[in-house]
Amino acid sequence: MDVAIIIGSDSDWSVMKKAVAFLREFDISVEVTVASAHRTPDRVINFIRNCHAQDVKIFIAAAGMAAHLAGVVAANTTRPVIGVPINSEPFKGMDALLSTVQMPPGIPVATMAVNGAKNAAIFAAEILALQNDNLKNKLAKYRAEMAAEVERKAETVKLDFLKGAD
Ligand code: RP5
């Protein structure tokens, strides 16, 4: 197994399924579970142990509010942990962002943007690509397609601009 995703609640799934979609598109093996650092701390630890047994290479941990899930995952593995703060009321994800990104020295979490599920998957792919040329080529193609899309958008806006559209 390449990547394990831990979400703090099923309410995080609608955001995090975008990470799963990207990883599957790139043929990266992934599994997902719900485990909460504060509601089910033993479940988090047991899942991480099980992932180690399956040689999971990267963890992605996503939680909202001040749940500290990614930090707890990072405390229990030396494999890379990517954190995704989830947007929620009343602080719009700022609480989750700070609880994920502001890890004290010694136990790092690579923190993405609030709701940054897709970038978490891309970042995981980039780490795996260090030892996988096929994946490296796929990522290069993905970037080239994004660049081509910007060129198409630029052309569309330019044509509209020249027509004097408001
Ligand atoms: C966090 O609390 C979860 O990650 C979720 O984002 C948030 C709210 O959880 P639910 O009340 O929706 O289960 O632990």
Side-chain angles (χ1 to χ4, degrees):
M1 187 67 56
D2 292 317
V3 177
I5 299 179
I6 311 179
I7 57 178
S9 173
D10 61 345
S11 59
D12 304 322
W13 178 232
S14 60
V15 172
M16 291 311 295
K17 59 172 50 166
K18 291 172 198 136
V20 173
F22 182 92
L23 292 168
R24 284 190 173 144
E25 193 185 323
F26 278 70
D27 296 319
I28 294 169
S29 57
V30 55
E31 73 168 289
V32 181
T33 198
V34 175
S36 163
H38 52 289
R39 291 171 179 157
T40 60
D42 290 345
R43 183 172 167 71
V44 174
I45 304 296
N46 290 336
F47 180 73
I48 293 168
R49 284 201 189 118
N50 191 38
C51 288
H52 287 165
Q54 289 182 69
D55 204 21
V56 161
K57 298 181 181 61
I58 300 165
F59 290 91
I60 296 175
M65 308 186 81
H68 289 75
L69 178 61
V72 170
V73 173
N76 286 283
T77 186
T78 54
R79 299 175 197 194
V81 176
I82 302 169
V84 181
I86 300 292
N87 176 37
S88 66
E89 293 298 331
F91 293 112
K92 316 281 187 201
M94 185 60 82
D95 41 3
L97 173 63
L98 292 179
S99 75
T100 308
V101 76
Q102 283 294 100
M103 285 298 290
I107 309 290
V109 169
T111 305
M112 301 294 111
V114 173
N115 283 5
K118 189 169 186 180
N119 269 4
I122 295 170
F123 194 59
E126 288 177 348
I127 295 170
L128 294 167
L130 290 170
Q131 294 187 312
N132 183 331
D133 284 344
N134 183 36
L135 194 48
K136 198 183 296 178
N137 292 337
K138 281 184 187 174
L139 284 168
K141 186 165 170 267
Y142 176 71
R143 288 206 175 190
E145 283 166 2
M146 270 196 299
E149 182 66 19
V150 171
E151 294 295 339
R152 279 194 293 276
K153 286 176 180 174
E155 195 56 32
T156 303
V157 169
K158 186 177 172 187
L159 288 174
D160 213 35
F161 168 75
L162 290 174
K163 272 196 296 188
D166 50 19

